[in-house]
Amino acid sequence: MHPATVGIGASGAIFGVFGALAGFFLAHRERIGEHTKAFMKEFAIIIGINLVIGFSIESVDVSAHIGGLFIGFIGGYILSKDPKWVWTYSVAMVFLIFIMMSYLPGYYAQKSF
């Protein structure tokens, strides 16, 4: 997302775990009703605070946070609804990684020169 810089860290993965938890709670909201409301309220506060901090500090890569949150949510929701999708989801994620690995070096090379 930022060709002039390199981003490292585990925060995108941590946001992915938060997203997966949100997907799980949303997928099972009928069975765990009150806990879902409490979790989603606390979840929104934590994510909101982290995004405000992320947008306030220039060196924080918010795109990794949002991407992790989104992909984690999709995976958490799909796999919570039907665990049989684990192989399909895993293959799709590996395929997406290979696409990004083949696309990004050329993108960065074009931006650098």
Side-chain angles (χ1 to χ4, degrees):
M1 296 302 294
H2 311 287
T5 62
V6 175
I8 59 170
S11 58
I14 292 169
F15 271 77
V17 171
F18 274 131
L21 281 170
F24 170 82
F25 273 93
L26 198 60
H28 297 290
R29 65 185 174 269
E30 299 88 25
R31 285 193 263 164
I32 51 178
E34 282 302 312
H35 297 292
T36 299
K37 289 180 184 177
F39 173 80
M40 294 307 269
K41 182 179 178 183
E42 293 169 7
F43 173 77
I45 292 169
I46 291 170
I47 296 302
I49 289 170
N50 278 290
L51 289 176
V52 167
I53 291 170
F55 283 118
S56 300
I57 301 171
E58 187 176 324
S59 62
V60 174
D61 188 6
V62 179
S63 60
H65 296 171
I66 294 171
L69 188 66
F70 182 70
I71 295 298
F73 177 81
I74 290 171
Y77 186 82
I78 290 172
L79 298 178
S80 293
K81 281 292 194 182
D82 189 0
K84 294 177 187 173
W85 284 93
V86 70
W87 283 106
T88 305
Y89 182 76
S90 298
V91 168
M93 290 300 105
V94 169
F95 185 67
L96 184 62
I97 288 169
F98 281 121
I99 288 173
M100 296 307 262
M101 286 174 55
S102 66
Y103 169 75
L104 290 178
Y107 177 75
Y108 285 129
Q110 290 174 355
K111 294 289 184 178
S112 299
F113 299 108

